[in-house]
Amino acid sequence: MQHHLARRGFLGAAVALGAAALTAPLTAGTAHAAGPGGRWPTGFPLPRGFQPEGVTIGHSPYAYFGSLGDGAVYRASLATGEGRIIHQGLGAGHSTVGLKIDRPGRRLFLAGGWSREIRVVDARSGALLRHFTGLGAETTMVNDVILTPDAAWFTDSFQPQLYRLALDRTGEPAHELTVLPLTGDWTQGPDFTANGIERTPDGQALLVVDVFQDGGSLLRVDPRTGVARAVDLGGLKIPHGDGLLLLGRDLYIVQQAVDQIDVVRLDPAGTRGTAIARITDPDRFRIPTTAAVWGDRIYLPNARFGLDPDPAVADYDVVSVPRV
C-alpha cells in the first residue's frame, strides 16, 4: 500500500471477466489482454465497500482478502467467485493490509496498518488467536507479511524495522514479538518507505520494497542481523512497488499506482535480477495492490485508491492474469 494513496477515496467498478493480460519482454513494450482459458472466472466481485488490499491463497482454491475499512477477512472460491466474510474484524480503525495463510491452511497472519497491530486468526472459524498492539511508534503502519518455516515477518512502512513473530515446529505462533532494525544499505525516507516483503529463492534472506531509496529499490535483508543490501535489478525502478510474489526464481512486483506488474528473474540468493516481463491490463487493472497464485493464474484485488469519492459504498473486484 502507498501511504499517500491509501488516505484517498475510491469509485465503483463493474466486474470485468473477459480479458486476461498477456506478458511480454520489457524491451518489447507493454502487452495487453487476451482471452482467458478454462472455465473458472477470471474476475469476481467483492462485497460493496469492502476496501481490499491484501490477498493470500493456500493449498486449496480459496482466496482470502483483507479489508482496509474494518479489518474483516473475506474468503472466496476461485472456482465460482462466491464467498463470505469469515472474520468480522475489529471495526473502523483496525485495518487488515497484508495477510498470509500458513501451509496447512489453519491460520491467517494479518498486518494491521495504522492500528499498529498484528493479528493471527483461525482460518476456519475466524476466531482471533493472537493480538499484538501498540507496535512501533505513533506513525507506525504494519503493512505486509511473509511466512518462513520458523517465523512470520512484517514490514513497518514508517520505521526502519521488521517485526518477527516466531513459529514453533507445528506452526503455532509465539506470544511475543521481536523487532529487527534495518541497517546496511537501507535508506529510510521522510514518509512512507517499506512496503511488500518476500523470501529469496534460496530461502536464506528476505526481500523488502523500499519505495524511497534510489527512486524505488528492492533490498535483500539478512534475517539474523537486519543488514540490508540493494538488489541489482539492472536499472529497473519500483517507486510504486507494493506486493511481492515469488514463484520459483520469478519475482512478481505489483506496481499499484501505475497499474502494472513487473516480473524479475532472480539469482538463487536474491542479490540480482533481470526484468523479463511486464503485465498490464488497462481495461481491468484499477490500482491492484498485491498478488497470489493458484495454478497458472495470478489473482489481484483492485484497491481503487484515489478513484472513489466514498470507499465505504464503492464496488470492488478481483482480477486474474496468466503467470509468466
Side-chain angles (χ1 to χ4, degrees), residues 119-155:
R119 302 186 293 276
V120 183
V121 168
D122 187 295
R124 296 180 178 89
S125 69
L128 187 62
L129 304 176
R130 298 281 191 278
H131 189 195
F132 303 94
T133 62
L135 303 179
E138 289 185 2
T139 57
T140 281
M141 178 192 172
V142 187
N143 192 326
D144 203 2
V145 54
I146 189 64
L147 301 181
T148 67
D150 62 357
W153 292 90
F154 299 79
T155 57

Side-chain angles (χ1 to χ4, degrees), residues 82-159:
E82 297 178 352
R84 64 183 179 89
I85 299 288
I86 59 108
H87 173 66
Q88 293 296 330
L90 300 179
H94 297 273
S95 299
T96 292
V97 190
L99 73 166
K100 287 292 185 294
I101 191 167
D102 63 12
R103 187 175 298 274
R106 294 195 300 260
R107 305 174 187 87
L108 289 160
F109 295 78
L110 314 181
W114 292 283
S115 65
R116 300 166 57 195
E117 297 172 333
I118 287 172
R119 302 186 293 276
V120 183
V121 168
D122 187 295
R124 296 180 178 89
S125 69
L128 187 62
L129 304 176
R130 298 281 191 278
H131 189 195
F132 303 94
T133 62
L135 303 179
E138 289 185 2
T139 57
T140 281
M141 178 192 172
V142 187
N143 192 326
D144 203 2
V145 54
I146 189 64
L147 301 181
T148 67
D150 62 357
W153 292 90
F154 299 79
T155 57
D156 185 331
S157 293
F158 289 85
Q159 306 296 323

